[in-house]
Amino acid sequence: MSTAIALPTFEDVIARFDPVMGMEVHVELGTVTKMFCGCSTAFGAEPNTQVCPTCLGFPGSLPVVNQMAVESAIRIGLALNCTIAEHCRFARKNYFYPDMPKNYQISQYDEPIAFDGWTEVTVDTADGAQVFRIGIERAHMEEDTGKSLHVGGATGRIHGASHSLLDYNRAGIPLIEIVTKPIEVDPALAPAVARAYVTELRELIRALGVSEARMELGQMRCDANVSLKPRGATVLGTRTETKNVNSLRSVERAVTYEIRRQATVLDAGEKIVQETRHWHEDTGETTPGRVKEEAEDYRYFPEPDLVPVAPSRDWVERLRGTLPEPPAARRARLQSEWGFTDLEMRDVVNAGALGLVAETIAAGADAAGAKKWWLGEIARTANERGVGVEESGITPAQVARVEELINDGALNDKLARQVVEGVLAGEGSPDEVVAARGLAVVSDESALASAVDDAIAAMPDVAEKIRGGNMGAVGALIGSVMKATRGQADAKRVRELIVQRLTA
Amino acid sequence: MSSISRDEVAHLARLARLDLEPDELEHLAGQLDQIIGAVAQVSEVAADHIPPTSHALPVTNVFREDVLRPGLTADAALAGAPEAEDGRFRVPQILGEEQ
Ligand SMILES: [Zn+2]
């Protein structure tokens, strides 16, 4: 959809309106089997090869709850400072759509397993880092739906399709839906806070080890609820729910777009329609989807095929004991271990490279070296390709190996950059790139010595200056030697050789 | 007074994707009214000290281990499907919006 009217700027809108946000994040758990049956959850299998009578909704089949999924849900709830229900039920959410073969989805409705929690997120502002507490309304268990392929229409959209094809491998994979309380912050920071929340949640989920939470694989999916109220108003505005917001960057962009779009509608004296909207990464716009069905239209009722879940307090406390260090505490600890400034640490976190830098250091690299690569060469390449640093094609162990080669004197900085470039280009491991590109530092002492002698002979006036004590002139000779060795000499050793010859 | 209106029946029919004729709506409204009336007798005997019951058995926490169990092959899964294509269930054009 192209809007004919230009949207007001974000700055203009937030000078007049207060946005209120609510985030709903679905996380696919990394359990081996599905929520209610023993089918595999592995990604990428041939269609309908990870299915059984239960997840296909065959008559007479019965669901049985995956204990690991319940444990993961409780651990997520605890990590989000929630209360864990002493007793909760599953519910049937009834709707007709072929992505659920049963014609209902088993979910939780009025009795979520975890509720009333909070988490803290940090956002960079002009006045330094600011911490926001985000309230968590609930985290509940449900099952994922199948995947539809719409055939015959344009670009796989449902409109104009002649028919659809269904793959139920994903149907029944455990999902945890995490819903925030309304988020009202400094309007200027609203989109950044939304992004920071999803970033924090992803980090937390990964730290818990309950999911890889890879947004590009749909393992973590975000819906953003946004409403506007005129400055000073107390009544909440009508909200829209933007779906399909599936990258961290999109979270920020979609919230910003929706704030501006709603202001346009309100400025024109019209009403916001309560509806689902779809986010389009390519155009940076949202378009209307279905008008939100009232909750009661799903005709929720307690799932008769499953008995309630009643986690004993013992069990909950045992699970609390398995929680990892909270992300904020971990960041603080790592920052002091690595000796990074606040700014350096923030750069690492904002680049999504905290885990990668930590792994690189664990693999033997020093902190400064690890940071330099992940925020430099690798971030640049990932950015150019439009992927996250974790998908750049180089592993922490490989980065640590490059650093090791530098420390051993086998590579200088310039050669190391070429090695990293080669690994990123898919040419193999650092050692393979070194071998294939012939990138080893010239360590043949006699070859180096003769290159130094040649340089001195070619630049007698420079040599004279050095003899006269002008050490600033050494750089010119080093440059000449590096040129002659096509950058493959160890610059430190070249300097030593020059100084030996001219000042002895 | 009937406990369910014709409009409510029409609404439920729409949610269930049932295309009912006006006389069918009338007929079902009457039937549903009787069913609701029969079930409502429970609320006459249920005093305040009796909590609503959703499960007949006083059992909780029935779980299974997170262990793979063999399921169906794609062929077996699709054997009963009215139509299949490329290993997938083929369904007619979906009306309405994407979920
Ligand atoms: Zn199954």
Side-chain angles (χ1 to χ4, degrees), chain A residues 33-34 37 48 166 306 310, chain B residues 11 55 61 64 66 72 87 89:
Chain A
T33 66
K34 294 186 179 180
C37 63
N48 295 306
L166 274 300
L306 292 169
Chain B
H11 177 65
H55 294 79
N61 298 339
R64 67 183 169 79
D66 185 24
L72 300 171
F89 292 83

Side-chain angles (χ1 to χ4, degrees), chain A residues 202 206 214 216 351-352 356 374 382 387-394:
Chain A
R202 187 179 69 168
R206 288 178 176 172
R214 290 179 61 181
E216 75 283 4
L356 297 163
W374 287 107
V387 300
V389 275
E390 71 278 11
E391 299 158 74
S392 59
I394 192 165

Side-chain angles (χ1 to χ4, degrees), chain A residues 424-483:
Chain A
L424 289 170
E427 293 169 24
S429 70
D431 291 287
E432 285 163 351
V433 176
V434 166
R437 291 198 184 188
L439 291 179
V441 162
V442 175
S443 54
D444 177 347
E445 194 71 13
S446 64
L448 212 53
S450 80
V452 168
D453 289 339
D454 290 349
I456 291 172
M459 304 170 88
D461 3 330
V462 177
E464 206 44 55
K465 280 183 192 161
I466 298 167
R467 285 199 188 92
N470 180 358
M471 297 313 284
V474 173
L477 280 182
I478 296 174
S480 166
V481 174
M482 294 306 280
K483 204 169 158 196

Side-chain angles (χ1 to χ4, degrees), chain A residues 10-31:
Chain A
F10 179 70
E11 289 69 26
D12 170 43
V13 174
I14 57 169
R16 298 180 290 123
F17 291 97
D18 290 321
V20 180
M21 304 179 296
M23 309 301 289
E24 295 176 17
V25 175
H26 287 87
V27 178
E28 259 185 17
L29 294 180
T31 48

